[in-house]
Amino acid sequence: MTLTSSALVAFGSRRAMTAASLPLSWDVVRLHHVERCAQKPGPIAGSQLCTRDACRERYDIFCNIVGSVISPLLANIYVHVLDMYWAKQYSSLGHLTRYADDMVIVSRTRSEAEQALQAVTQILQQLKLTVHPTKTGIVDVKRAGFECLGFHFHQGRARKSGKLIPLMWPGQKAMKAIRSHIREQTERRGLRGTIAAMVATHNLIIRGWRNYVRVGNSNKKFQDLDRYVRQRMVQWLRARLKRGTPPEQLQALYSTSGLEDFSARGRCGTRP
């Protein structure tokens, strides 16, 4: 979803904020222009508010927090209206699951899905919001699936029972990002570091990413990443050590380095 600048300023102006409580130290993305608040802040017992003119820019900063831990909270507060409308009037069209400004609606038929998209679009327009033009669409989970919050969701059949079940694994964007992160860590500019330091850095990356995506059916993706890490680390070791180091010695160094695997036994999801 895209939140317009006017909605951001209006949203900030309707919140009871004192000058001292405005998070001016957070990293933000600035608007191209600063708008005057649509409503003058009202008095609050025990609080001291700046004048509207003095607060314009601070409201602008407050309402454009991107990448901060508070960003999902603000999105949840603002888009809660959508949840209420959906529960009261449109729940028959499908089950809505939302995290901040990302949402998925699971419908039984394509007709219901189209009606659901139209309903959501209309509600968001009332909130001065728009759906993302390229990330929004209707898909058949049995064929194409979809990506959300770093995962690819698909519907398939269980190997043992043959029943249709939901499947999930790291999406293409997430896989590309983690590969890029590993590649950056093993570039030639890092040759001055010790092997122990390189392994420690990689283990932090591997643990964090593995713990996030292990809830799904991620085993095959983890194995692909293990092969990629092994390839990059062996190349890094070859560049760091003396020329002509036997491949057997490189493999021995890699095997005894203490580097963890993405596909550690018991720590990643497998397909039922």
Side-chain angles (χ1 to χ4, degrees), residues 104 139-156 165-175 209 212-213 215-218 221 271:
V104 174
V139 298
D140 185 349
V141 292
K142 296 179 183 179
R143 298 179 180 178
F146 63 93
E147 293 196 8
C148 182
L149 299 177
F151 283 92
H152 177 86
F153 294 86
H154 214 100
Q155 190 176 47
I165 57 173
L167 302 173
M168 56 187 291
W169 53 80
Q172 291 184 358
K173 186 176 180 180
M175 290 290 290
W209 206 80
Y212 178 74
V213 301
V215 295
N217 314 97
S218 306
K221 297 296 184 181
R271 181 167 179 170

